[in-house]
Amino acid sequence: MNNFSSLFIGILFTVAFSFAGIVISSQIQYGKLTPVAMEEGEMTYPRPPVGIAEQGKEVYLSMGCIYCHSQQVRRKGFGADFERGWGNRQTVPRDYIFQKRVVLGTMRTGPDLMTVGERLTDPSWHYLHLYDPKLTVPSSIMPQFKFLFKTQKVKDAPSANALKFPAGYEGAPAEGYEIVPTDRCNDLVHYLLSLKLNYELPEARFSE
């Protein structure tokens, strides 16, 4: 019995010590990272998130986007991220210092989204893609998020944010009706458009 207690305490101490070591070492290495400027007097990066993009991140998480998309550009030689146009430099710990929850992701069923706000700048593309991904990417296996939209009668004139479908699309609304994004959808699109890596850091330059 005494041997079992000693063994249990030893295992518990080993696990606790290892866990504490990981947490403490990470804090020592990355916990004091702050925004930096490439040259004195220039703007510091990364910038803290502002506006409804932060609300959109909550929608992103609740929709499970993290399970199919990553947000990390791997360094050259560790994948084809650069060749696919997913970024002009690798991501580094400093890029994530303002994120309360870092969504690096674990799978890439779809493309990496760390720079999607640079690659796809038209909001209309994102709205159509969320409504029916095959409208923008015919080979897409992403599910439709039609529940983020609502159908309503057209009043005096079509709404400015009403979806514009290609001719012959079977999912288009009946005549006299239109499909518009909900507030949650707007928040999500704002978040996607905010995902950019258009700045350099001392430890991560575009030329690398």
Side-chain angles (χ1 to χ4, degrees), residues 134-145:
K134 291 186 180 298
L135 283 172
T136 52
V137 184
S139 61
S140 177
I141 59 172
M142 175 175 153
Q144 298 176 353
F145 288 87

Side-chain angles (χ1 to χ4, degrees), residues 71-109:
Q71 287 188 31
Q72 53 178 313
V73 181
R74 295 175 293 189
R75 68 178 63 183
K76 290 183 178 180
F78 287 81
D81 295 13
F82 286 82
E83 291 76 8
R84 292 167 175 163
W86 290 350
N88 294 316
R89 67 167 177 83
Q90 72 178 79
T91 50
V92 292
R94 197 185 304 271
D95 290 312
Y96 305 97
I97 58 176
F98 286 117
Q99 295 192 22
K100 295 180 181 178
R101 178 177 175 183
V102 179
V103 287
L104 296 177
T106 57
M107 292 182 62
R108 281 181 171 173
T109 304

Side-chain angles (χ1 to χ4, degrees), residues 32-89:
K32 296 182 180 180
L33 289 175
T34 59
V36 295
M38 293 297 291
E39 300 289 343
E40 186 175 353
E42 291 185 349
M43 185 176 293
T44 59
Y45 290 98
R47 308 297 297 172
V50 295
I52 63 174
E54 272 298 274
Q55 299 170 213
K57 183 174 183 178
E58 296 303 315
V59 180
Y60 180 90
L61 293 171
S62 67
M63 293 294 100
C65 305
I66 187 176
Y67 298 115
C68 293
H69 295 281
S70 59
Q71 287 188 31
Q72 53 178 313
V73 181
R74 295 175 293 189
R75 68 178 63 183
K76 290 183 178 180
F78 287 81
D81 295 13
F82 286 82
E83 291 76 8
R84 292 167 175 163
W86 290 350
N88 294 316
R89 67 167 177 83

Side-chain angles (χ1 to χ4, degrees), residues 1-16:
M1 187 68 177
N2 288 336
N3 289 337
F4 176 78
S5 299
S6 299
L7 179 62
F8 176 77
I9 293 173
I11 293 174
L12 181 62
F13 175 80
T14 301
V15 173

